[in-house]
C-alpha cells in the first residue's frame, strides 16, 4: 500500500461513516411518527354537557392497548371505562362514565406509531367551566429514558450488523471468491451476524417496557414479553431470529466448503473443487440463491413492522423497502469488506483488479437503486411536492437528499481510490516477483557462463596433447 493512497482511503472511510451516521441519526425524527391531529372534545374546549366518550385522531394508524388512553377528573381519578375502540381509519375513542361533574379533565395517551415508535401526550378539556385545580400528568414518552436510549442504540446496531453481514457475504460471492479464505473477511461477516443477533434479542426484551412504562425493571417482565410476541413488531423480531439461524448455516458453508474451492494463488478466479467445475458452480449458485432469500427475509423483518406496512400502496412499499435495504447492504457492507481485504488480506491472497472492477459495478447499481427507491419512499410519505418545504419532515428529507448526494460523490471517489489502491498493491507484488526472478536469472546465467569456460579449457588441453611429437613423449618417459 502506497503512502499517498492510504491517507486518502482513511479519509474516504471517515467520510462514508460520517454520512451514514448522519443518515441513521436523522432517521428517528425524519421517520414521520404518528401525531395527534384532532380530538373530540378539542384541546382546551369548554363543553356544556358531559360527553359520553373522548375521541382522538392521529396522522396515521396506531396500535393501542388497554391503558393507551386515560381520562382523569380534577382529583386525578380515572373516569374512562373499557378498552379504546377503533371506529375506523385513524380515530380512536374511549367511553366515559356517566354523570361527570363540572371541572377540567385531563386526557393522557400513549400509542405506538406505524414505525414501531411510542408516541405520548396529554391535553385538557372542561365541562361547564374550568376548575381551579388540574391534574399534572407526565407526558414524557417511554422512549425518552434509559430504556428508550437502549432501544434506539439496539436499532442502529441491528442495521449495522445486517449491512456488514449481507454486504460482506455478497462481496465474497459476487466479487472476490478467495475472500472466503481470508481470516479478516471471515471475522467481519461473523461480527455482523453476532451484532445483529445480539441486537435483535435485546430489542425483543426491551420492547415491552419501551412501549409501556419505560422502566428498566419491566424489561424482564414475562407478561409484557408475552404481549410483545402477539404484536406485529414482536412477530417480526422472532422471524428475524429464525432467519439468523439459517444465516449461521449459510456462513458455515460459505467459509467451509465454498472456501475450499477458492484458489488462493489466483486472486480473481475460483479453482475447481474436489468434485470438478460443475460441483463448484452448483455450490456457488446454491449459496447465492440461499443467501439472497435469507437476506431478503431479514430485510422484510423491518419492512413488515414499520412504515412500509402502513398507509398508501403498502403492497408496493414493502418490497421497495426490502430492495432499499439490500442496496444499502450491498454498497456500504461491500465497501467495508473491500477495504478490510485491501488492508488485511495476506500477501499471497491479494485483491485483484478484476475484483475491484466487479465491486465498482455492484456499487454503482446499488447507488442507483438507492436513489430510485428513496424517491418513491419520499413521495409516499409526503404525498405532495410542496410538503418538502412546508413541513418539518419534508425539510429533513431535503437534508437527507443532500446527504445522499454526498454518498454518491463518495461512491465515485471510492471507485477511483480503491482501483488505484488495488493497482498499487498488484504492481508491488509484480515488482517483487520481477526482482526475485531477476536474481534467479542472474545466478543461472553465471552458472552457465562458468560451465562453458570450463569446457573450452578442457578442449584446449586435448588439442595441445594431440600436437606434441611421439619422440618427445619417449624421452620424457
Amino acid at each position: 500500500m502506497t503512502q499517498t493512497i492510504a491517507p486518502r482511503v482513511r479519509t474516504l472511510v471517515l467520510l462514508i461513516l460520517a454520512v451514514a451516521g448522519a443518515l441513521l441519526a436523522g432517521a428517528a425524527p425524519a421517520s414521520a411518527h404518528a401525531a395527534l391531529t384532532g380530538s373530540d372534545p378539542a384541546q382546551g374546549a369548554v363543553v356544556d354537557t358531559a360527553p359520553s366518550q373522548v375521541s382522538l385522531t392521529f396522522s396515521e394508524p396506531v396500535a393501542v392497548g388497554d391503558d393507551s388512553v386515560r381520562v382523569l377528573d380534577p382529583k386525578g381519578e380515572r373516569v374512562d371505562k373499557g378498552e379504546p375502540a377503533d371506529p375506523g381509519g385513524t380515530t380512536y375513542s374511549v367511553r366515559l362514565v356517566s354523570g361527570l361533574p363540572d371541572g377540567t379533565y385531563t386526557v393522557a395517551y400513549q400509542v405506538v406509531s406505524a414505525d414501531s415508535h411510542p408516541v405520548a401526550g396529554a391535553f385538557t378539556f372542561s365541562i361547564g367551566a374550568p376548575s381551579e385545580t388540574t391534574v399534572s400528568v407526565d407526558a414524557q414518552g417511554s422512549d425518552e429514558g434509559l430504556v428508550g436510549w437502549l432501544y434506539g442504540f439496539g436499532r442502529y446496531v441491528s442495521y449495522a450488523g445486517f449491512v456488514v453481514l449481507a454486504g460482506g457475504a455478497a462481496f465474497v460471492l459476487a466479487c472476490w471468491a478467495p475472500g472466503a479464505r481470508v481470516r479478516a473477511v471471515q471475522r467481519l461477516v461473523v461480527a455482523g451476524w453476532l451484532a445483529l443477533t445480539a441486537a435483535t434479542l435485546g430489542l425483543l426484551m426491551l420492547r415491552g417496557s419501551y412501549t409501556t412504562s419505560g422502566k428498566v425493571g419491566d424489561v424482564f417482565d414475562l407478561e409484557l414479553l408475552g404481549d410483545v410476541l402477539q404484536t406485529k413488531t414482536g412477530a417480526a423480531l422472532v422471524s428475524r431470529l429464525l432467519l439468523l439461524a439459517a444465516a449461521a448455516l449459510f456462513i458455515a458453508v460459505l467459509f467451509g466448503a465454498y472456501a475450499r474451492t477458492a484458489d488462493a494463488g489466483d486472486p480473481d478466479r475460483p479453482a475447481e473443487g474436489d468434485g470438478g467445475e460443475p460441483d463448484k458452480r452448483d455450490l456457488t449458485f446454491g449459496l447465492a440463491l440461499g443467501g439472497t432469500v435469507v437476506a431478503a427475509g431479514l430485510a422484510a423483518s423491518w419492512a413488515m413492522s414499520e412504515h412500509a406496512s402502513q398507509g398508501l400502496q403498502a403492497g408496493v412499499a414493502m418490497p421497495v423497502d426490502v430492495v432499499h435495504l439490500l442496496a444499502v447492504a450491498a454498497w456500504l457492507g461491500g465497501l467495508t469488506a473491500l477495504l478490510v481485504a485491501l488492508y488485511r488480506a495476506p500477501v499471497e491472497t491479494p485483491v485483484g483488479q478484476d475484483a475491484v472492477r466487479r465491486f465498482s459495478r455492484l456499487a454503482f447499481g446499488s447507488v442507483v437503486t438507492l436513489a430510485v427507491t428513496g424517491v418513491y419512499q419520499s413521495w409516499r410519505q409526503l404525498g405532495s411536492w410542496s410538503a418538502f418545504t412546508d413541513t418539518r419532515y419534508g425539510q429533513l428529507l431535503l437534508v437527507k437528499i443532500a446527504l445522499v448526494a454526498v454518498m454518491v460523490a463518495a461512491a465515485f471517489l471510492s471507485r477511483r481510490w480503491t482501483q488505484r489502491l488495488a493497482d498499487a498493491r498488484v504492481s508491488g507484488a509484480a515488482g517483487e516477483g520481477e526482482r526475485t526472478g531477476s536474481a534467479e536469472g542472474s545466478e543461472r546465467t553465471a552458472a552457465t557462463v562458468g560451465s562453458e569456460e570450463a569446457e573450452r579449457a578442457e578442449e584446449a588441453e586435448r588439442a595441445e596433447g594431440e600436437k606434441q611429437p611421439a619422440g618427445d613423449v619417449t624421452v620424457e618417459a
Side-chain angles (χ1 to χ4, degrees):
M1 183 180 301
T2 63
Q3 295 297 324
T4 57
I5 297 178
R8 294 182 179 180
V9 173
R10 286 194 290 267
T11 302
L12 171 66
V13 174
L14 293 177
L15 174 62
I16 292 173
L17 292 178
V19 173
L23 285 172
L24 291 175
S31 57
H33 302 333
L36 183 67
T37 58
S39 62
D40 185 19
Q43 179 176 358
V46 179
V47 296
D48 296 331
T49 59
S52 60
Q53 66 179 18
V54 172
S55 299
L56 290 80
T57 302
F58 294 91
S59 58
E60 63 181 30
V62 296
V64 296
D66 295 344
D67 295 328
S68 294
V69 180
R70 297 177 298 147
V71 182
L72 308 176
D73 64 11
K75 297 180 181 180
E77 301 292 335
R78 293 188 62 168
V79 294
D80 58 278
K81 61 179 182 179
E83 299 179 1
D86 180 11
T90 58
T91 300
Y92 304 84
S93 61
V94 60
R95 292 178 298 166
L96 304 179
V97 299
S98 58
L100 294 177
D102 293 349
T104 299
Y105 291 79
T106 303
V107 181
Y109 62 89
Q110 180 168 317
V111 297
V112 180
S113 60
D115 63 349
S116 75
H117 285 82
V119 177
F123 66 91
T124 62
F125 70 93
S126 301
I127 300 176
S131 57
E132 296 180 358
T133 60
T134 57
V135 177
S136 177
V137 177
D138 185 9
Q140 178 180 357
S142 59
D143 61 336
E144 298 178 8
L146 176 60
V147 171
W149 185 89
L150 290 174
Y151 194 88
F153 178 75
R155 283 170 57 89
Y156 293 142
V157 172
S158 64
Y159 279 120
F162 171 75
V163 166
V164 172
L165 169 61
F171 175 75
V172 171
L173 283 173
C175 304
W176 191 45
R181 302 180 63 172
V182 176
R183 187 61 59 86
V185 176
Q186 294 177 356
R187 290 172 179 170
L188 177 70
V189 175
V190 172
W193 183 89
L194 291 173
L196 180 54
T197 303
T200 303
L201 286 171
L203 292 175
L204 189 61
M205 296 299 299
L206 292 168
R207 182 67 186 174
S209 177
Y210 176 70
T211 57
T212 54
S213 64
K215 298 178 181 179
V216 178
D218 291 339
V219 171
F220 303 100
D221 190 332
L222 296 181
E223 184 177 353
L224 281 178
L225 180 60
D227 294 338
V228 168
L229 295 177
Q230 298 177 14
T231 64
K232 181 172 60 176
T233 302
L237 292 173
V238 172
S239 300
R240 191 182 304 169
L241 288 174
L242 295 176
L243 287 167
L244 283 169
L249 178 60
F250 168 84
I251 293 174
V253 176
L254 178 65
F255 297 142
Y258 181 77
R260 288 191 291 271
T261 68
D263 183 5
D266 189 340
D268 294 319
R269 179 179 59 84
E272 295 184 5
D274 296 336
E277 188 71 19
D279 290 344
K280 178 182 68 64
R281 287 198 300 265
D282 292 343
L283 179 59
T284 303
F285 176 77
L287 280 174
L289 180 61
T292 301
V293 171
V294 173
L298 290 172
S301 68
W302 278 284
M304 64 184 255
S305 61
E306 298 188 355
H307 265 300
S309 62
Q310 298 287 340
L312 180 66
Q313 298 180 352
V316 177
M318 285 192 289
V320 169
D321 197 46
V322 170
V323 173
H324 188 82
L325 287 173
L326 292 177
V328 172
W331 181 67
L332 192 56
L335 179 61
T336 303
L338 173 61
L339 293 176
V340 168
L342 290 172
Y343 273 95
R344 301 298 182 186
V347 177
E348 61 271 14
T349 313
V351 180
Q353 297 183 20
D354 290 343
V356 177
R357 293 192 187 98
R358 283 192 287 267
F359 174 72
S360 296
R361 292 192 292 268
L362 177 65
F364 177 77
S366 299
V367 170
V368 172
T369 302
L370 281 173
V372 174
T373 55
V375 167
Y376 172 78
Q377 290 174 333
S378 301
W379 168 82
R380 181 175 175 270
Q381 288 292 332
L382 292 175
S384 65
W385 295 110
S386 61
F388 274 102
T389 56
D390 296 342
T391 64
R392 181 173 179 270
Y393 177 56
Q395 295 167 359
L396 289 171
L397 273 179
L398 289 177
V399 174
K400 294 181 72 173
I401 291 173
L403 292 175
V404 168
V406 175
M407 292 181 72
V408 173
F412 174 75
L413 294 176
S414 70
R415 182 174 183 177
R416 295 181 57 187
W417 290 349
T418 52
Q419 181 65 52
R420 291 178 59 187
L421 183 59
D423 292 344
R425 182 164 186 170
V426 172
S427 298
E432 184 67 24
E434 290 176 359
R435 287 192 294 270
T436 303
S438 298
E440 294 176 353
S442 299
E443 293 176 358
R444 288 193 298 268
T445 301
T448 302
V449 171
S451 62
E452 291 177 354
E453 291 178 353
E455 291 177 359
R456 285 197 295 270
E458 292 177 357
E459 291 177 357
E461 291 178 357
R462 286 196 297 271
E464 288 286 338
E466 292 174 355
K467 293 178 181 179
Q468 195 171 25
D472 294 341
V473 175
T474 305
V475 173
E476 290 176 1

